[in-house]
Amino acid sequence: YVRKEYAPALKYISAALDINPKYSDARNNRGRIYIELGRYGEAITDLSIVTKDLVYQTPEKAYVNLGLAYLRSGAYEEALVTLKKAIEFNSKFCAAHNYFGQAEYQSQHYNEALEAFDKALKLCNNSYDEAHYFSALSLLKSGQREKAKARLEEVVRLYPETEYSS
């Protein structure tokens, strides 16, 4: 997965689940692979199972992945509800705040998006390129052109090698 070799990762993780269908870490990781493959329905199915596992050690990760699947599939209200649960489980999980902000942005709630991105940036010590970028877009959409410009300049300066600097 880390090497973006999704087909073999999916094969091996599915084999692990054939052996032990209750292996929630594997199911959570398979859900994430499905997201990367654009197979959101399968991701939502797997991740919904993980969120129901009452003994799963890191439910916030499953909720973030489930929220991301909803976000990428265009189901923004479901994403907001799900990502809010991730934040309730771990209020310091910066990825949850970032994706929550993206769901707010896609729902055209730009001020709420800005709040979420500010939390994500604070929690990640300003080291989150995606949150910087979407924060700039939210500033622009909320009519704060100069702040948006400054934030985009930060993106280019801080993250020159990422897709958000192009």
Side-chain angles (χ1 to χ4, degrees):
Y1 170 79
V2 173
R3 295 179 181 170
K4 300 185 187 223
E5 299 280 344
Y6 301 128
L10 185 59
K11 174 185 167 188
Y12 291 118
I13 217 153
S14 293
L17 285 165
D18 287 342
I19 294 167
N20 181 1
K22 294 183 179 186
Y23 187 10
S24 290
D25 274 330
R27 191 170 300 281
N28 184 49
N29 290 334
R30 185 170 74 175
R32 182 59 191 219
I33 292 167
Y34 282 144
I35 291 169
E36 295 306 317
L37 294 172
R39 295 165 60 177
Y40 305 121
E42 290 163 289
I44 290 166
T45 297
D46 265 355
L47 296 164
S48 294
I49 292 168
V50 178
T51 62
K52 291 181 177 93
D53 180 350
L54 298 178
V55 296
Y56 187 52
Q57 298 280 326
T58 53
E60 68 274 15
K61 291 180 181 179
Y63 278 106
V64 163
N65 284 337
L66 182 56
L68 181 59
Y70 284 130
L71 178 65
R72 294 230 178 124
S73 71
Y76 305 126
E77 291 304 313
E78 290 88 344
L80 287 167
V81 168
T82 304
L83 291 162
K84 189 170 188 102
K85 287 181 184 174
I87 292 167
E88 289 169 1
F89 275 103
N90 183 351
S91 64
K92 296 182 181 188
F93 192 14
C94 66
H97 291 281
N98 173 55
Y99 292 130
F100 186 79
Q102 287 185 42
E104 291 284 23
Y105 176 83
Q106 294 298 338
S107 300
Q108 300 179 355
H109 305 145
Y110 304 118
N111 290 328
E112 292 85 350
L114 282 168
E115 287 179 34
F117 294 128
D118 285 345
K119 284 180 187 173
L121 291 169
K122 181 179 178 187
L123 291 168
C124 291
N125 297 318
N126 281 333
S127 63
Y128 208 132
D129 59 340
E130 197 171 59
H132 265 96
Y133 177 76
F134 278 98
S135 174
L137 294 181
S138 298
L139 285 163
L140 184 62
K141 292 286 190 175
S142 66
Q144 301 177 60
R145 292 181 55 86
E146 290 305 311
K147 286 184 179 180
K149 181 181 175 189
R151 184 59 56 94
L152 283 173
E153 288 170 353
E154 279 180 19
V155 171
V156 172
R157 181 175 49 82
L158 295 172
Y159 313 104
E161 303 298 319
T162 68
E163 65 185 285
Y164 299 106
S165 292
S166 312

